[in-house]
Every structure is written in structure tokens, then in C-alpha cells.
Amino acid sequence: MTDRTLWSYAEIAAHIRVRTDTVRSYKKLGHLPAPDLVEGGKPYWYADTIRVWSARRPGNRGRSDPAR
């Protein structure tokens, strides 16, 4: 089952445990995937999009990599 809940910067920040401004910076620097939806100039991502992205981002691999 897919999660089609839309997340803004605040939900993404809570999910990856950083400040909202950090997520905005990630977007500005091109580290976030393209938004799934833009409404009124505000970007939104599906929860599944962010879960896949966050699982692949550097720093998240350390816990599952036995060499670290």
C-alpha cells in the first residue's frame, strides 16, 4: 500500500530529525527530490517519496553498514 499523504517542509524535518530551515536548504541546494505537487507556490512531497529519499541519503547508511 502506498502512502499518498503530502508532506511539507515541517513534516520532512520531523521525519529526518532536522530543523525546517535545514530542509529548505536541502531543496535550495538540490538535495531533495523534485516536489510531487506545488500548490500556491508551496512544494509538497508524498510521504513515500521522502521515505525512499531519506533511506538513501548519506548518514543513514551508517547503522546498517557493518563496516562502520
Side-chain angles (χ1 to χ4, degrees):
M1 179 165 30
T2 60
D3 187 352
R4 305 299 278 180
T5 305
L6 288 171
W7 284 4
S8 66
Y9 292 121
E11 288 86 10
I12 296 169
H15 179 72
I16 63 174
R17 298 181 181 156
V18 298
R19 292 179 31 214
T20 304
D21 289 342
T22 303
V23 178
R24 285 190 170 111
S25 178
Y26 286 172
K27 182 179 183 299
K28 181 179 177 182
L29 295 171
H31 297 307
L32 276 177
D36 294 306
L37 178 70
V38 177
E39 285 186 354
K42 295 180 181 181
Y44 296 94
W45 293 261
Y46 291 122
D48 284 345
T49 300
I50 296 303
R51 287 186 184 112
V52 168
W53 167 79
S54 69
R56 293 180 179 168
R57 62 189 274 262
N60 259 4
R61 293 185 285 246
R63 289 182 181 89
S64 62
D65 185 358
R68 289 188 181 198

